[in-house]
Amino acid sequence: MLADATLWAWIGALGMFAGTIPSLWLWYRRPSEWEYYATLAGVTGIAALAYAVMGFGAGNVATGGGVLPVARYVDWLLTTPLLILYLALLARPSRRVIVALIAVDVVVIAGGTVAVVTTGFVSWAAFGVATLAYVGLVYGLLTVLPRSAASQPDRVRAVFGTLRNITVVLWTLYPVVWLLAPTGLGLLTASTEMLVFVYLDFVSKVGFAIVAVASADAIGYVDTVDGDRPAAVTGASAPADD
Ligand code: RET
């Protein structure tokens, strides 16, 4: 069982590493659009590291509620905000909206973490809080971000729509897998859970990055909120600049 989970982790690490190369390449070729490619490279690069840690069998912490794969939850905590940030770099909402979406996302992942390390009522309550936060996040992705994206040119709106849909559909499978896995109802084994999460992570990160890179022409059309020069030129107006 453990050997299987380790194998899947290494497959994940290799896949994520390979999936980082196109973003690094564009970062190098188009330095003026660096925030976009750095965000994408961060998503897959962090995941490659996290899977390598899991491949070495490190980072599993035994807790009262069960084993917490720290690398996985740290990965999610860092990369899900980056994926949201990429959507925001296309839709260009206000900074407040970006902060709110990322804050809600952190509640989702933190709630999931608490649910893993606790048992009984506390665990299910944490799962409930995380799920409610997730519903709020989906609302933001389906209604708030598109309102900002509406003022973007057609090409930007189309790419935003595709990436946003990939995100909403795939992310929604995570709590389902979590529920079926040993963390929830225990209908899946730990190695099947690992396999399914590697697959989901791969499509939601590398799939996202490949669609983003293949549609990178759209970046040239993005209108920033507080000015009509590209963020890479004004610097100050770019949400990624903190
Ligand atoms: C948990 C359990 C608690 C309830 C919910 C969850 C949602 C997790 C999500 C994770 C997404 C991860 C991604 C990783 C890599 O790209 C924490 C499983 C709602 C949405 C996209």
Side-chain angles (χ1 to χ4, degrees):
M1 183 283 285
L2 200 65
D4 285 353
T6 306
L7 177 65
W8 290 121
W10 280 114
I11 290 173
L14 275 181
M16 294 296 179
F17 176 75
T20 308
I21 296 171
S23 312
L24 289 178
W25 176 246
L26 278 194
W27 188 353
Y28 169 71
R29 290 305 300 262
R30 305 188 193 171
S32 67
E33 296 171 352
W34 70 271
E35 331 139 272
Y36 291 85
Y37 310 123
T39 304
L40 295 174
V43 169
T44 49
I46 290 170
L49 273 178
Y51 273 113
V53 169
M54 289 188 254
F56 281 117
N60 287 326
V61 174
T63 70
V67 177
L68 176 71
V70 176
R72 160 163 300 137
Y73 281 84
V74 170
D75 167 353
W76 289 356
L77 195 62
L78 298 174
T79 59
T80 51
L82 287 175
L83 287 163
I84 292 171
L85 182 64
Y86 194 86
L87 293 175
L89 284 169
L90 293 174
R92 295 285 163 168
S94 69
R95 193 172 285 256
R96 259 184 54 207
V97 166
I98 301 177
V99 170
L101 287 174
I102 290 179
V104 171
D105 175 63
V106 168
V107 173
V108 174
I109 307 301
T113 310
V114 172
V116 172
V117 304
T118 54
T119 54
F121 175 78
V122 178
S123 174
W124 287 112
F127 182 81
V129 169
T131 303
L132 273 181
Y134 182 67
V135 171
L137 179 63
V138 168
Y139 175 83
L141 295 177
L142 291 179
T143 66
V144 183
L145 274 191
R147 268 205 290 275
S148 318
S151 54
Q152 293 293 337
D154 287 354
R155 179 72 184 132
V156 179
R157 275 211 323 269
V159 175
F160 166 79
T162 306
L163 291 172
R164 192 277 316 273
N165 291 344
I166 292 177
T167 301
V168 170
V169 170
L170 292 170
W171 289 29
T172 302
L173 297 173
Y174 280 82
V176 177
V177 175
W178 195 98
L179 260 184
L180 298 176
T183 39
L185 304 172
L187 300 175
L188 300 176
T189 64
S191 60
T192 309
E193 177 195 9
M194 179 60 115
L195 177 155
V196 180
F197 274 140
V198 169
Y199 179 77
L200 280 182
D201 274 1
F202 189 76
V203 186
S204 61
K205 290 185 165 97
V206 176
F208 185 105
I210 287 179
V211 172
V213 161
S215 326
D217 62 287
I219 295 169
Y221 299 103
V222 172
D223 274 334
T224 57
V225 173
D226 40 5
D228 42 16
R229 282 183 299 156
V233 177
T234 59
S237 65
D241 267 354
D242 293 316

